[in-house]
Amino acid sequence: MIFDEIRKEVIQGDNRKVQELVTKALSEGHGVQDILQKALIGGMLEIGEMFIRQEAYLPEMLFASRAMQDGLKILEPLLVTENIPSGGKIILGTVKDDVHDIGKNLVGMMFRGAGFEVIDLGVDVSPGKFVAAVQEHNPDLVGMSSLLGTTMRYMKDTLEAIRAEPQGRSIKIMVGGAIVTPDFAAKIGADGYAPDAASAVIKAKELLQEK
Amino acid sequence: MFTGKDHIQAAFKRTFTDRVPVRIWYAVGDGGEMPGATRKDVRTRGDKYAGYILWVQDRVRSDSVTVAAFDMVMPAEFAGGELGISTREVVDLARRGVPLLKDKTLFGRFKPADLMQGQRLPYYMEACRLVVEGAGDTAIDAIITAPWTTAALLRGEADLIYDTRDDPAFVHELLRFATEYTKTVGLKIAETGINMITLGDPSSGCSVISPKMFREWSKPYLEEAVRFLRENTGARICLHVCGKIDDILEDLINTGVEAISIDGPTSLANMVDVNRGRVVILGNIPTELFIEGSKEQLEEQVRYCIDTAAQESGFILSSGCTVPGTEENVIHTIRYAHRYGRYPLAGLN
């Protein structure tokens, strides 16, 4: 079955083979939604579960994400014409003074794969920039990441700045990063914490159901 | 009366003073603004950076102080003058999180240059010399970047990982350049009379790369740098890898370093078990507790670390990583550790 082959190559992170197989699946008449959900996202979910079980590491996730994204590029023109509803809108960024974005980028790829609209503010994002983006885009969620002990304090500053805005009170705020713990997330008043990119999507969906 | 240096040296010599050694890492700016110097002064003038470290240390009284020679401009200076990129542009790229080698074809113009003709190494060396002069009874540590992390700073972590599959020859070339950088900086910094060089390698941790990738790509170059620095400097060589590193502890011990500093997410008990006394262990009060933790939580962590790892000599109680927290929490932690860590250890008797 071609979907099994695509899933396997997503997990292996072979982006060229994924593109070939996605093209082949389309030529065989498989539906765009089926290829996306059963093959590409199916593969990402599988590697994500392996990551949660600590059977895979970040590089495997990165290679798989790239393979999924490259497969998605072939489907995107067709997806636009099908007018698929968004899973939600999330603003992402690493906090002030933190330029380590590998985890944040991976989270972004996972959210895009799960059908979210992702607004990536990049790195070293000040609380003011987060607030301005919230005002401009009116997201469902904000996700902040920090790798360093020296920068994680800005998560609290950013969270408070967003909450101080009327628009920001109903937005769910998630935090993550190698050094961030669930205790820390709870203490600063975040709505959610996720230890990795795959869990972040699951947590985000839970939070949005609460809204 | 033992000095801070006596306490730290005892851990390396596997002897005892009157208490467990205590080292808390401070990052620039986190001790507040020093009177008479802006943060920019501290980051660009060696005398101001040294003054800042001594100003904080005067109140904190850690057994060891750290000069963090860890930035993105110095590797760019090592890459030479043919890049056609000014220091200001490198700083601007760093601020925006854009690595110097975003376009890896630029690597073709890298020609290792004399770092003493640049700005950053003389700045760090001046800071080290002045700290050695001003805090001679304290152990003095300088952090420099290890090869894989230097390569990741230059290329970007994600692109470097992709390159291991897409262009492995380029990664080896870049790592050879990065290893020369680590060796050059370590050698010059050691000339200032510091006691310990810490190879900072946050990009080698299991939060970023897999153990397999560490063994294949990072470890061989790290071993080369460690071997060189042990043979050519009088400094103790320590390694710090941020995040969780439980799956590569044995590999890290086998790199030839004399000490390993572990971060909060790594299990101290596991490290003690795996280590079996081979290297000095520094660790690992979770850094986030210095921001949001209570004094009771910090005390609990001090007790846990000392009870877990200080039965024998060869342990230095430390923050897991550089501390972002309030000075009050740091001072409280150090004073409490001095009492709780007094020999014979009360928690063990």
Side-chain angles (χ1 to χ4, degrees):
Chain A
M1 176 70 178
I2 195 159
F3 289 175
D4 292 334
E5 285 181 65
I6 296 173
R7 272 199 301 274
K8 183 182 149 217
E9 296 304 338
V10 167
I11 292 165
Q12 292 294 318
D14 192 329
N15 50 334
R16 288 186 192 132
K17 277 192 185 157
V18 167
Q19 288 195 315
E20 283 170 20
L21 288 166
V22 167
T23 306
K24 189 177 167 199
L26 284 170
S27 70
E28 287 176 0
H30 292 285
V32 175
Q33 269 299 309
D34 280 349
I35 299 171
L36 175 65
Q37 295 295 335
K38 294 177 184 170
L40 293 177
I41 292 179
M44 271 317 291
L45 289 174
E46 210 168 312
I47 189 87
E49 284 163 11
M50 289 167 70
F51 188 81
I52 291 168
R53 294 196 302 268
Q54 297 183 1
E55 293 166 8
Y57 290 84
L58 197 72
E60 285 93 342
M61 290 283 284
L62 274 178
F63 285 119
S65 300
R66 183 175 69 165
M68 185 199 71
Q69 293 291 320
D70 284 355
L72 191 57
K73 279 179 197 160
I74 294 172
L75 299 181
E76 265 168 356
L78 305 166
L79 283 167
V80 170
T81 59
E82 289 194 6
N83 198 20
I84 310 293
S86 167
K89 193 191 286 186
I90 182 165
I91 286 176
L92 293 177
T94 69
V95 293
K96 182 173 156 53
D97 286 349
D98 202 315
V99 296
H100 297 271
D101 62 355
I102 193 167
K104 183 265 297 170
N105 292 344
L106 192 54
V107 167
M109 285 193 249
M110 292 296 286
F111 272 95
R112 282 190 192 97
F116 281 74
E117 182 185 347
V118 177
I119 294 145
D120 188 342
L121 302 181
V123 300
D124 186 14
V125 183
S126 66
K129 280 188 194 163
F130 269 106
V131 169
V134 163
Q135 288 167 339
E136 184 184 345
H137 299 287
N138 193 25
D140 303 294
L141 288 147
V142 170
M144 294 180 254
S145 79
S146 159
L147 177 75
L148 306 173
T150 45
T151 59
M152 62 196 296
R153 71 182 125 162
Y154 294 120
M155 288 184 159
K156 187 180 181 192
D157 296 349
T158 305
L159 192 143
E160 287 172 356
I162 293 171
R163 291 277 186 254
E165 295 294 313
Q167 213 172 343
R169 283 174 203 150
S170 62
I171 291 170
K172 299 292 184 185
I173 300 178
M174 293 179 64
V175 294
I179 199 164
V180 179
T181 62
D183 277 356
F184 178 78
K187 271 185 189 148
I188 65 170
D191 298 299
Y193 157 84
D196 54 70
S199 312
V201 175
I202 296 166
K203 186 70 195 174
K205 286 181 174 172
E206 283 173 18
L207 291 174
L208 291 183
Q209 276 179 352
E210 290 169 11
K211 277 185 93 170
Chain B
M1 182 71 179
F2 295 102
T3 65
K5 194 184 280 182
D6 293 334
H7 293 298
I8 298 290
Q9 282 178 343
F12 280 95
K13 291 177 180 168
R14 308 298 197 272
T15 58
F16 293 91
T17 56
D18 58 348
R19 62 165 170 79
V20 172
V22 183
R23 181 281 298 263
I24 306 294
W25 279 2
Y26 247 95
V28 172
D30 291 315
E33 295 295 329
M34 180 172 71
T38 64
R39 191 174 286 202
K40 187 180 174 191
D41 288 337
V42 172
R43 289 185 190 278
T44 54
R45 288 182 47 180
D47 60 335
K48 296 294 184 187
Y49 187 16
Y52 175 84
I53 291 168
L54 298 172
W55 178 68
V56 174
Q57 171 65 0
D58 192 43
R59 297 186 303 276
V60 167
R61 296 279 167 199
S62 175
D63 290 332
S64 168
V65 296
T66 303
V67 178
F70 200 125
D71 70 35
M72 284 182 71
V73 175
M74 197 154 57
E77 289 183 343
F78 191 58
E82 294 181 21
L83 297 181
I85 296 173
S86 68
T87 299
R88 182 180 287 274
E89 286 169 313
V90 172
V91 171
D92 185 53
L93 286 173
R95 280 199 185 126
R96 291 187 287 123
V98 179
L100 185 63
L101 286 174
K102 185 70 188 165
D103 171 6
K104 70 179 180 186
T105 61
L106 188 64
F107 186 63
R109 285 195 263 156
F110 273 35
K111 289 196 174 56
D114 180 3
L115 278 172
M116 292 308 291
Q117 301 304 312
Q119 294 173 21
R120 299 308 284 168
L121 186 58
Y123 154 76
Y124 288 122
M125 287 180 71
E126 183 185 10
C128 286
R129 278 199 193 94
L130 292 172
V131 172
V132 169
E133 280 174 28
D137 60 351
T138 305
I140 296 153
D141 172 29
I143 312 179
I144 64 173
T145 49
W148 175 264
T149 289
T150 303
L153 280 172
L154 286 165
R155 175 65 175 141
E157 284 175 335
D159 281 332
L160 187 62
I161 289 170
Y162 291 135
D163 290 335
T164 59
R165 190 176 286 188
D166 301 340
D167 193 354
F170 163 71
V171 180
H172 282 299
E173 281 295 312
L174 180 57
L175 280 166
R176 276 191 276 278
F177 171 86
T179 306
E180 286 310 305
Y181 169 81
T182 302
K183 287 154 72 171
T184 303
V185 174
L187 193 61
K188 295 301 291 182
I189 290 277
E191 287 175 8
T192 63
I194 53 142
N195 311 105
M196 184 161 79
I197 293 172
T198 294
L199 295 170
D201 208 1
S203 299
S204 279
C206 304
S207 307
V208 181
I209 61 173
S210 62
K212 181 172 177 286
M213 188 171 268
F214 171 76
R215 286 169 198 134
E216 184 176 353
W217 295 96
S218 175
K219 189 180 175 190
Y221 296 96
L222 182 59
E223 284 173 330
E224 182 184 330
V226 170
R227 191 165 50 244
F228 175 86
L229 292 173
R230 285 197 69 173
E231 286 172 0
N232 292 283
T233 74
R236 302 280 189 183
I237 307 301
C238 175
L239 178 63
H240 175 78
V241 183
C242 297
K244 196 168 167 55
I245 56 169
D246 294 79
D247 295 344
I248 53 169
L249 288 176
E250 183 67 38
D251 297 281
L252 296 177
I253 292 165
N254 290 336
T255 57
V257 291
E258 295 163 279
I260 294 178
S261 157
I262 63 170
D263 203 348
T266 293
S267 162
L268 181 59
N270 188 28
M271 177 65 190
V272 171
D273 282 349
V274 172
N275 184 42
R276 299 187 308 280
R278 287 176 286 173
V279 299
V280 172
I281 300 171
L282 296 95
N284 68 338
I285 303 169
T287 45
E288 70 271 14
L289 290 182
F290 290 93
I291 316 174
E292 286 297 318
S294 64
K295 289 188 170 54
E296 290 73 26
Q297 284 176 303
L298 285 160
E299 289 173 7
E300 185 185 343
Q301 282 299 315
V302 168
R303 291 195 298 273
Y304 170 76
C305 291
I306 289 176
D307 291 352
T308 303
Q311 292 91 335
E312 306 291 337
S313 178
F315 174 68
I316 298 168
L317 179 70
S318 170
S319 51
C321 199
T322 49
V323 164
T326 65
E327 195 173 279
E328 190 188 338
N329 271 351
V330 173
I331 292 171
H332 179 81
T333 303
I334 290 177
R335 300 295 175 269
Y336 180 77
H338 286 179
R339 291 198 303 276
Y340 189 77
R342 185 157 293 278
Y343 300 126
L345 297 174
L348 303 170
N349 294 317

